[in-house]
Amino acid sequence: MIAVESVERHFGSIRAVDGVDLEIRRGELFGLIGHNGAGKSTLFKMMLGLLPVSAGHIRIDGEDIHAGNFREVRRRIGYLPENVVLYDNLTGLETLRFIAKLKNCSREECVAALETVGLSHAANRRVREYSKGMRQRLGFAQSLLGKPQLLFLDEPTNGLDPEAIRAFYATLRGLRDSGVTVVLTSHILSEIQERVDRLAIMAAGKIQALGTVQSLRERVDLPLRVEVRTEAALGGALTAILGSFGITPRPVEAATDRLVFDCPRQLKMKLFGAVAGLGEGVADVSIFEPSLEDVFFGFAD
């Protein structure tokens, strides 16, 4: 759906985007993460055709963003900017009807869009009476007008409460399953780590890593965190097993039946085989993969 080839964007001597190559598949839920100033929003705006590229090429659905036919492609794109600016004196429904006219799409879609984002009850309230989260949901609703086949969402969950975030991602999954391609950024990494199909990590204007969350975990080779609960009498035996693998348990306050330690990924199966040798004295084993935040810092630092 999106092909980015050797793309650069310069602001004077600053290379905001510096030689990015990226392909995003049709019907994919794709995450783009990075520090403030990493180049994410600039790349977004170039893919939308709002900023010219300094070098390289971007094609969306087979069309170059600077070709004459790209205007038709843009009609199939929805965009939610990081900072949503709306007319305070209009109601939610009037806002969508105004945008629908700009997009040359049916006014009948407006009611359905408000229902999708959970704002039907506030359709006739002035936007100035909306909370921050409601404004964000209204911004999402406008991005859905025209039945876009490609969505760009820049920090889309700003101001949303946990229930609204859950509903938002449920909507995205439904859109993806219907063939819509979704590209989003978020600073809340724990929120997206189990929800995107693939992601790219940007730093200093470059793509530092690209893949599924699990493939990036394996590439950065961070240890697993493991917690083992045993009978108190077996604590010494378990500590000895860990020592034979060169592993030192973490200190755990007031715990005589629990050991927590970091396990190198390549030792996982051998170590668990040795622990299993303790038999029924092992009550439970919990394994925790590195979080997306850990992975991010592993690549971005």
Side-chain angles (χ1 to χ4, degrees):
M1 187 64 171
I2 302 174
V4 179
E5 301 173 357
S6 304
V7 164
E8 299 180 7
R9 173 63 192 184
H10 310 154
F11 295 98
S13 61
I14 299 173
R15 290 177 176 261
V17 175
D18 189 10
V20 165
D21 292 292
L22 179 65
E23 289 189 354
I24 299 174
R25 303 160 187 158
R26 191 180 303 276
E28 185 171 40
L29 181 48
F30 189 89
L32 188 63
I33 63 176
H35 295 291
N36 289 333
K40 307 184 303 298
S41 294
T42 300
L43 182 58
F44 254 46
K45 290 174 183 176
M46 287 194 293
M47 289 191 288
L48 286 162
L50 300 177
L51 275 179
V53 302
S54 300
H57 300 278
I58 299 176
R59 291 193 302 276
I60 294 180
D61 204 13
E63 292 289 342
D64 189 284
I65 62 168
H66 297 304
N69 292 336
F70 187 64
R71 187 177 184 85
E72 289 303 314
V73 175
R74 286 180 66 175
R75 295 184 185 279
R76 303 192 296 273
I77 297 175
Y79 175 46
L80 174 61
E82 181 175 2
N83 298 305
V84 181
V85 179
L86 303 166
Y87 292 105
D88 283 350
N89 290 328
L90 297 181
T91 66
L93 184 56
E94 287 171 342
T95 298
L96 293 193
R97 285 176 173 170
F98 172 70
I99 295 171
K101 188 171 183 179
L102 293 178
K103 287 188 171 184
N104 196 29
C105 61
S106 170
R107 285 163 55 99
E108 282 66 38
E109 290 186 37
C110 300
V111 173
L114 286 171
E115 184 176 354
T116 296
V117 302
L119 285 178
S120 296
H121 67 286
N124 295 312
R125 285 168 54 183
R126 303 288 179 189
V127 171
R128 64 170 171 265
E129 300 172 10
Y130 280 22
S131 67
K132 180 175 175 57
M134 293 171 69
R135 287 170 179 257
Q136 191 71 7
R137 283 186 280 163
L138 185 59
F140 180 41
Q142 66 79 25
S143 74
L144 299 177
L145 295 176
K147 298 181 173 59
Q149 292 303 299
L150 173 60
L151 275 175
F152 288 99
L153 308 174
D154 200 354
E155 300 292 339
T157 58
N158 275 344
L160 298 187
D161 59 36
E163 183 178 354
I165 290 173
R166 184 177 184 179
F168 167 76
Y169 279 105
T171 300
L172 287 194
R173 286 193 297 273
L175 291 168
R176 178 196 60 189
D177 293 344
S178 69
V180 177
T181 306
V182 182
V183 187
L184 63 87
T185 70
S186 178
H187 284 113
I188 309 173
L189 303 188
S190 60
E191 176 187 297
I192 69 170
Q193 69 177 13
E194 302 302 332
R195 288 170 163 142
V196 296
D197 299 314
R198 289 190 307 147
L199 59 86
I201 297 174
M202 284 194 76
K206 298 177 181 291
I207 300 292
Q208 304 295 330
L210 172 67
T212 64
V213 173
Q214 186 58 34
S215 70
L216 297 183
R217 283 171 174 155
E218 293 170 2
R219 278 181 55 193
V220 79
D221 199 27
L222 294 172
L224 307 169
R225 184 167 63 84
V226 181
E227 180 178 309
V228 181
R229 290 179 53 238
T230 67
E231 295 177 357
L234 290 178
L238 179 55
T239 300
I241 289 173
L242 297 179
S244 70
F245 285 89
I247 296 173
T248 302
R250 297 181 180 184
V252 179
E253 291 185 11
T256 58
D257 63 344
R258 183 163 57 98
L259 284 178
V260 178
F261 56 91
D262 293 330
C263 174
R265 192 176 293 273
Q266 65 272 21
L267 295 180
K268 178 177 70 173
M269 298 311 296
K270 288 183 179 179
L271 177 61
F272 291 165
V275 171
L278 296 176
E280 295 182 358
V282 178
D284 192 22
V285 178
S286 300
I287 305 169
F288 303 92
E289 287 277 3
S291 69
L292 180 54
E293 183 175 298
D294 295 329
V295 173
F296 170 73
F297 286 114
F299 281 107
D301 286 349

